[in-house]
Amino acid sequence: MGEKLLAQRVLTLLRDTYGKSSPVAGALLEWAAEQRDWLWPKTVWAVPATDTESAKDGETIDWDSLARLADSLDVSAPFPDVFDTVSTALNLLDLKPFDHELVFLTAAFERLPRLVALASRLRWAGGEMAALIGQLAGAPAASSEALVRRAKAIELGLICVKQQYSSPASLELEWRFADVIDQAFDSEDQIVAALAGTPQPASLARDDFAHLDRDFDLLARLLTGALRNRAQGVNILIHGPPGTGKTEFARTLASEIGARLFAVGEMDDRGEEPSRWERLCSLNRAARLLHRRSDSLILFDEMEDLFSESSTAASGERRAGSKIFVNRLLEQMKVPVIWTSNSLEGIDRAHLRRMNYVLRMGYPSAAARERIATRSAASAGAAETVEGLKPFLLSQPDSASVAPIALRTAALAGGGARDAAAVEGSLLQGLRGGRRLAPARWSGELDLSLYDADICIADVVERLTRGDAPADFSLLLSGPPGTGKTALAADVARRLDRPLAVKRASDLLSKWVGGTEENIAEAFADAREEGAVLLFDEADSLLLDRSDARMSWEITQVNELLTWMDSHPLPFIAATNFARRLDPAVFRRFLFKVELRPLSEGKLDKAFERFFGGQSRPELREIVGLTPGDFAVVKRQLRYRTDCTAKEIVELLRREAEAKPGPTGRIGF
């Protein structure tokens, strides 16, 4: 079909539909007269009479002659070559003839200048363009507009119905399909990229998600089988807090199995936030384009958008999303879809039951965070800059999510590790609502030889963290402040390549009856879901001897904690300064019990060298009660002093020891 053939069909249809006195008839005749030399280039037209001569014989364009003139059109010329792109795209979408014609005709009335002029005149005259195009596409006159509004082409976001106030409805190309025509794409990959989105590249590797290795392996096999068998209704939901790497996990998963991942519905025609309707159109369009391929997956970020207030493109009516609509959508998807969400709250159980796998993602471990940041730094050509981020990577669970931005910002500023650290700190502070972070300190691998305990700390840690060791151990760390209980727990988590979840009494104790028990249960449940090492600091506040209890809730919170300790399948560590206050039943729940002590005389010199990089003095061995924490405090004090001698450092350490309650002074008599 060519442009003149379409013009012929329009002339005939309108001539048969409207009376000669109607505004549409007038508009059509005006257009025909304007385009007569293009429509009928060899026809001789009548010339109006003048005072000196009679009217010349010729053809006249009027309502009565229009049908005959239409029949005489030479319709052999095809459409311009640009419409080959339209045909290719529509064939890829596998549309039925009515929808195919609907899109093709809409494109013609938008892209061919003579037909654009005709459509403009008809709209001004009150012509119903949506109904007209529907009839030209093969719909009966009585139901033409209704069939257009329900067309698959509209559902897929290829065309849309435009209607203002009480004016007749018209059709327009959606921006993505219009761009396909304007760019004159001539390859299938170009058209797919324009309509479904560009494939998402992976910036991380599988080992960056080592904490999810079992899930990763299962999902890789699931998606491989789904693509091989062209399975319908395969859906994976990944949920977790922002910054845990859900999207990157999906990209890496697709890359691992050699598939292309298309992210859909991320912006509207103005580059702004899309509506629910626009996101659904993008999803359906991508599924339609990709379902014949055996190497394509779809990523739909922020699944909760499906449950926001919706509107139909045809009517603009706003209403709540339909649960049954989403159910059928999940069941009938012809391409595997990876959905992400920050929370399961608000996602109906009926939708969850239609998922093939639901994966909860927690923050990666410190080792994984360092790997991710190091990889980002290497790809940006700034490998040395990552050193500035290490304090944050060690202590802040969400630090890896902003590390690439910090590295890029530092590079643009022409700075190094120091600038990267400043940017990382500012971003993390912003994520915490402006609250300042606790000072981040990077001390590298923990020196276990500095610990003084009733058993060899290095041996205990080695047994707990070896590759084949069971994961369900419990460890009680007791001793005075500063002996390194929290640091030791963090080192165990680092060696296990697990995140450390620290819960203090202030996090767990509640003023409401039953609230503490709920917080304890939630802490264990979260640690289990995240695969974390769970540390209860100040455990004596939670595990007080029940024989001294005055309130019933003091007993129930101990009972709750003991019950969870018996069944928890992952590492659990409790730290306390007052082991003697603990309930007697607690001790048999811990597989390992370690009492940490102040540094003995033999370890003081080593600690001095470790913290201050020089030879200590004999007076140091005379100080009682020093701990690694005291050495760390004095080291920070030295930031405000210059050229401090070893003797002065020893004196600062003595003051730290004397500031603590208990025996101090010289060792011996």
Side-chain angles (χ1 to χ4, degrees):
M1 178 172 65
E3 188 175 5
K4 281 191 179 180
L5 176 58
L6 179 54
Q8 182 188 64
R9 292 174 59 189
V10 174
L11 290 171
T12 302
L13 178 61
L14 294 179
R15 173 65 178 76
D16 294 341
T17 304
Y18 291 90
K20 66 167 128 181
S21 60
S22 67
V24 170
L28 184 61
L29 289 174
E30 289 176 3
W31 176 80
E34 181 182 277
Q35 301 294 334
R36 66 182 186 181
D37 292 334
W38 169 70
L39 291 168
W40 301 282
K42 297 180 180 180
T43 302
V44 177
W45 303 103
V47 178
T50 65
D51 294 337
T52 59
E53 63 178 335
S54 302
K56 293 182 179 179
D57 294 334
E59 188 71 64
T60 302
I61 299 179
D62 56 27
W63 198 245
D64 295 328
S65 64
L66 193 59
R68 178 169 45 80
L69 286 170
D71 289 339
S72 68
L73 283 172
D74 179 5
V75 296
S76 59
F79 274 124
D81 291 343
V82 70
F83 277 78
D84 293 341
T85 299
V86 180
S87 295
T88 302
L90 295 176
N91 289 335
L92 287 175
L93 288 161
D94 194 23
L95 294 176
K96 292 182 178 180
F98 176 73
D99 291 281
H100 190 290
E101 285 293 295
L102 207 59
V103 178
F104 203 94
L105 293 168
T106 302
F109 279 107
E110 271 198 25
R111 289 297 185 270
L112 299 177
R114 297 179 182 90
L115 295 181
V116 169
L118 173 58
S120 177
R121 286 181 179 275
L122 293 176
R123 280 194 295 268
W124 276 106
E128 299 177 348
M129 285 303 299
L132 171 64
I133 294 176
Q135 287 180 262
L136 291 171
S143 57
S144 177
E145 186 173 335
L147 290 175
V148 166
R149 291 181 183 273
R150 296 198 298 269
K152 178 64 72 174
I154 288 180
E155 179 186 325
L156 297 178
L158 303 176
I159 58 176
C160 59
V161 177
K162 294 293 184 180
Q163 187 169 19
Q164 292 184 342
Y165 306 108
S166 59
S167 61
S170 61
L171 296 180
E172 291 183 6
L173 294 173
E174 283 282 11
W175 70 278
R176 284 189 185 276
F177 199 80
D179 190 54
V180 169
I181 300 173
D182 294 338
Q183 298 292 332
F185 293 135
D186 57 4
S187 76
E188 181 176 322
D189 285 342
Q190 287 177 316
I191 294 172
V192 169
L195 295 179
T198 54
Q200 299 285 298
S203 59
L204 302 180
R206 177 169 180 168
D207 61 356
D208 292 319
F209 300 98
H211 57 298
L212 296 170
D213 192 59
R214 290 183 180 178
D215 301 281
F216 195 104
D217 178 67
L218 175 56
L219 291 175
R221 289 186 283 114
L222 166 64
L223 291 173
T224 299
L227 291 174
R228 181 177 59 249
N229 297 299
R230 300 186 185 276
Q232 180 173 299
V234 175
N235 299 279
I236 295 168
L237 174 59
I238 305 174
H239 68 101
T244 50
K246 299 183 290 295
T247 300
E248 287 299 335
F249 181 89
R251 291 171 176 169
T252 305
L253 182 61
S255 176
E256 179 73 12
I257 65 172
R260 298 187 301 172
L261 183 70
F262 293 85
V264 300
E266 297 192 338
M267 66 179 68
D268 67 3
D269 58 339
R270 298 173 298 279
E272 298 175 356
E273 179 183 6
S275 66
R276 176 182 187 267
W277 173 263
E278 290 165 329
R279 298 209 70 194
L280 281 172
C281 286
S282 295
L283 174 63
N284 288 320
R285 184 172 57 243
R288 193 95 179 185
L289 280 166
L290 303 173
H291 81 277
R292 291 183 176 178
R293 300 180 171 219
S294 59
D295 66 343
S296 299
L297 308 171
I298 293 175
L299 172 65
F300 194 101
D301 264 326
E302 311 295 344
M303 184 184 183
E304 50 268 29
D305 281 359
L306 285 181
F307 315 110
S308 62
E309 189 178 40
S310 64
S311 64
T312 62
S315 65
E317 175 190 0
R318 303 197 68 82
R319 54 185 173 78
S322 165
K323 186 167 73 172
I324 190 65
F325 173 83
V326 177
N327 287 345
R328 297 296 172 262
L329 180 74
L330 295 171
E331 293 168 354
Q332 297 170 8
M333 289 303 301
K334 295 182 178 180
V335 178
V337 182
I338 301 176
W339 310 82
T340 74
S341 179
N342 293 334
S343 171
L344 293 182
E345 184 178 353
I347 299 180
D348 195 278
R349 291 187 178 184
H351 308 327
L352 293 176
R353 283 197 296 270
R354 285 163 173 81
M355 295 291 162
N356 295 83
Y357 201 86
V358 178
L359 171 64
R360 185 188 189 281
M361 285 194 67
Y363 292 110
S365 65
R369 296 195 293 268
E370 186 177 355
R371 285 197 303 270
I372 292 169
T374 301
R375 196 186 306 278
S376 297
S379 64
E384 71 286 350
T385 308
V386 78
E387 288 297 321
L389 306 185
K390 285 187 175 180
F392 302 101
L393 297 170
L394 175 67
S395 58
Q396 305 298 327
D398 52 348
S399 53
S401 65
V402 296
I405 302 172
L407 293 166
R408 179 174 181 269
T409 303
L412 290 173
R418 189 170 182 177
D419 283 345
V423 176
E424 180 87 359
S426 75
L427 295 173
L428 291 171
Q429 183 178 339
L431 291 175
R432 284 149 183 74
R435 298 194 306 274
R436 290 190 176 276
L437 303 174
R441 297 181 294 274
W442 172 254
S443 58
E445 186 172 341
L446 191 65
D447 188 351
L448 298 180
S449 66
L450 291 181
Y451 278 86
D452 240 326
D454 56 340
I455 59 176
C456 178
I457 290 291
D459 288 346
V460 172
V461 171
E462 194 281 327
R463 290 199 300 271
L464 294 178
T465 58
R466 70 174 188 265
D468 59 345
D472 60 342
F473 68 81
S474 52
L475 173 64
L476 175 63
L477 300 176
S478 62
T483 48
K485 298 183 289 297
T486 303
L488 182 58
D491 189 64
V492 169
R494 181 190 63 80
R495 292 169 185 263
L496 290 171
D497 198 18
R498 293 180 180 272
L500 178 67
V502 181
K503 298 295 181 181
R504 298 174 177 82
S506 58
D507 300 319
L508 299 170
L509 294 174
S510 171
K511 64 181 179 179
W512 306 108
V513 175
T516 300
E517 290 87 337
E518 290 182 6
N519 292 340
I520 290 171
E522 184 177 355
F524 277 96
D526 288 346
R528 186 172 63 252
E529 291 181 1
E530 296 172 8
V533 174
L534 180 59
L535 170 63
F536 275 17
D537 211 354
E538 307 166 27
D540 48 278
S541 300
L542 299 162
L543 291 168
L544 286 171
D545 191 336
R546 285 171 289 183
S547 63
D548 297 330
R550 297 182 180 180
M551 301 292 182
S552 61
W553 53 263
E554 293 177 298
I555 297 175
T556 57
Q557 75 181 35
V558 175
N559 292 341
E560 180 75 17
L561 186 44
L562 293 177
T563 301
W564 276 102
M565 289 175 62
D566 285 335
S567 60
H568 190 55
L570 294 175
F572 171 66
I573 302 175
T576 178
N577 299 335
F578 307 102
R580 64 182 182 275
R581 296 182 183 177
L582 300 180
D583 190 277
V586 167
F587 293 94
R588 65 181 176 83
R589 260 55 176 217
F590 287 102
L591 294 181
F592 299 91
K593 294 166 276 290
V594 179
E595 181 184 354
L596 303 179
R597 302 165 179 164
L599 296 172
S600 61
E601 181 178 346
K603 294 186 180 290
L604 288 172
D605 289 338
K606 186 171 184 178
F608 192 95
E609 182 180 352
R610 168 70 175 77
F611 281 90
F612 306 114
Q615 192 74 23
S616 69
R617 293 182 60 85
E619 304 95 285
L620 177 64
R621 294 188 289 275
E622 300 174 354
I623 304 175
V624 177
L626 283 175
T627 67
D630 298 322
F631 281 81
V633 169
V634 171
K635 184 176 181 179
R636 293 200 298 275
Q637 291 176 4
L638 296 184
R639 294 180 299 169
Y640 306 97
R641 302 183 59 166
T642 58
D643 301 326
C644 204
T645 65
K647 183 176 181 178
E648 291 171 322
I649 293 174
V650 170
E651 183 58 30
L652 292 174
L653 289 168
R654 186 190 307 280
R655 293 179 184 176
E656 289 299 318
E658 291 175 348
K660 295 185 287 188
T664 60
R666 296 175 180 272
I667 299 175
F669 300 94

